[in-house]
Amino acid sequence: AKHLGTHGVQLHDPSMIDRRAADAQLSDDLAGALDRGELHVLYQPLVDLAGSRPVGVEALVRWQHPRLGPVSPAQFIPIAERSGTITSIGLFVLETACRQVAGWDGLYVSVNLSPRQLQEPTLVQDVLDVLARTGLAPHRLVLEITESALVDESAGIAMLSEFRAHGIRVAIDDFGTGYSSLHYLTRLPVDILKIDRSFVAELNGTPEGSGITEAVLRLSQVLHLTTVAEGIETTEQAAELQTLGCGIGQGYLFARPLPPAELLEMLVTTAS
Ligand code: C2E
Ligand code: CA
Ligand code: CA
Ligand code: CA
C-alpha cells in the first residue's frame, strides 16, 4: 500500500525501495559476473512429439551468485536488459551454445535474443562471426524473439529478414501472450511459433481447453510455420498436442534444462 504524506503526496512503499536497492546491487554484481565466470548455459531438449526424440535444444542461461546462490534468469535478465549488460551476456550465451551444439550432430540450438540486442546495429554481423568461429552451420541456429520486441521496430524486423537470408531461423517466443495482431504476424519474417506454456497448461481434453492452441496451430499451418509447444508437463498434454498437429514439444515431461554432460547422456539413451 502507498502511504500518504502530510501534503497528500504519495510516497513509495518501503518494500519497493528495498526491492530497488536489491536490484541495484544485482545490477552491479552482474556487471562483473561474466568475467568472474559465474554464468553458464543449460540445454533443454526440444522433442519431436511423434518419436519422442530430441531434435534440438534451447539454451538457457544460469547465474551462480557467489553469496546468493542461483539467481533466476526471470529475475536477472530484465535487470541486464535495463543496464545494457544483456548485450555481452547474450553474446556469451550465443557463443557458448553454438560451440557446444556444433559437437552434437543432428541437433539445432535455439537461443533467446532480448529486445535490447535487436537494437544493436552490429547484431547480425556479431551472430555471423560467432557461427564462423564455432563452425556451427546457420541452419542449425534458431533465434527466439518475443512479439513485444518487434512491435513498431522496423529495424528489428529488417534484421530478422537478414538472419533468414543467411539461413538462420527465427522463432516467436511465448506466442499468444503479446499484443500483435494476426495481420501483423503474416508480415513478420519468422519460421517458428512457440506456443506459450500458459496455453499448454489449459489443455484438458475439452474444446475450451484447446481453443487457443488449436487456433495457433491452424494459423501456423496456413502460414507454413513450425510450431513448438512449451511447458509440457504431462503425457496427456503431449498426446493432445500431437493429436492437434503440433510437431515439437518442450517441457519437464521430457527433461529439465540440463548441463551438457547430462544432455549428452540423454541423447545416447534415446538414440537407437
Ligand atoms: P523462456 O524463453 O520462455 O524459457 C522457457 C522457460 O520455461 C525456462 O525457464 C524453462 O526452464 C522453463 N520451462 C521449461 N519447461 C517447463 C515446464 O514444463 N514447466 C514449467 N513451469 N517451466 C518450464 P528459465 O530457464 O528459468 O528462463 C526463464 C526466462 O528467462 C526465459 O523464458 C527467457 O525469457 C529468459 N532467459 C533465459 N535464458 C536467457 C538468455 O540466454 N537470454 C535471454 N535474453 N533471456 C533468457
Ligand atoms: Ca525462449
Ligand atoms: Ca518461451
Ligand atoms: Ca517465457
Side-chain angles (χ1 to χ4, degrees):
K2 290 189 172 165
H3 306 284
L4 286 180
T6 46
H7 301 289
V9 178
Q10 288 201 324
L11 301 177
H12 289 290
D13 189 317
S15 67
M16 196 190 245
I17 294 174
D18 289 350
R19 165 78 190 284
R20 291 229 179 108
D23 280 3
Q25 182 64 53
L26 277 186
S27 183
D28 282 354
D29 295 349
L30 196 52
L34 197 52
D35 289 340
R36 291 190 298 268
E38 294 165 11
L39 299 180
H40 63 280
V41 181
L42 298 183
Y43 301 90
Q44 188 176 33
L46 303 163
V47 172
D48 166 21
L49 287 174
S52 295
R53 299 256 184 93
V55 291
V57 291
E58 179 174 359
L60 294 158
V61 69
R62 291 293 179 265
W63 181 17
Q64 187 67 29
H65 189 286
R67 274 182 302 104
L68 303 172
V71 181
S72 159
Q75 188 178 4
F76 75 80
I77 292 289
I79 294 173
E81 173 85 12
R82 279 195 295 276
S83 71
T85 41
I86 190 65
T87 308
S88 49
I89 292 175
L91 282 177
F92 161 77
V93 174
L94 180 75
E95 178 138 8
T96 305
C98 289
R99 180 161 289 120
Q100 183 65 251
V101 174
W104 292 338
D105 280 348
L107 292 192
Y108 66 88
V109 62
S110 214
V111 178
N112 294 283
L113 279 191
S114 86
R116 179 101 171 215
Q117 289 180 274
L118 276 178
Q119 289 168 6
E120 292 284 327
T122 58
L123 180 67
V124 175
Q125 193 55 52
D126 290 343
V127 171
L128 295 176
D129 289 347
V130 166
L131 290 178
R133 275 200 296 276
T134 60
L136 188 81
H139 73 268
R140 294 177 65 197
L141 177 62
V142 173
L143 298 172
E144 298 193 5
I145 289 139
T146 55
E147 287 167 77
S148 53
L150 294 173
V151 174
D152 294 328
E153 279 291 340
S154 52
I157 294 170
M159 274 189 190
L160 302 190
S161 296
E162 271 191 74
F163 284 128
R164 295 180 77 218
H166 284 97
I168 298 165
R169 282 171 294 163
V170 174
I172 301 285
D173 204 355
D174 304 339
F175 186 72
T177 61
Y179 298 96
S180 59
S181 70
L182 296 181
H183 175 247
Y184 178 76
L185 177 69
T186 63
R187 294 183 297 129
L188 280 183
V190 303
D191 306 279
I192 298 164
L193 295 183
K194 294 193 77 173
I195 303 175
D196 191 68
R197 76 162 177 265
S198 58
F199 304 120
V200 172
E202 284 173 16
L203 296 173
N204 58 5
T206 71
E208 292 74 26
S210 63
I212 292 179
T213 298
E214 256 187 286
V216 173
L217 288 167
R218 188 113 26 106
L219 180 71
S220 50
Q221 254 167 21
V222 172
L223 299 176
H224 304 291
L225 303 174
T226 300
T227 41
V228 178
E230 326 183 295
I232 303 177
E233 297 184 352
T234 68
T235 50
E236 289 79 10
Q237 288 165 350
E240 190 167 353
L241 283 160
Q242 206 203 329
T243 306
L244 293 173
C246 182
I248 299 170
Q250 173 180 12
Y252 296 164
L253 173 67
F254 306 108
R256 297 201 168 240
L258 301 170
E262 285 177 46
L263 194 280
L264 190 59
E265 211 170 293
M266 181 179 171
L267 291 181
V268 172
T269 55
T270 54
S272 56

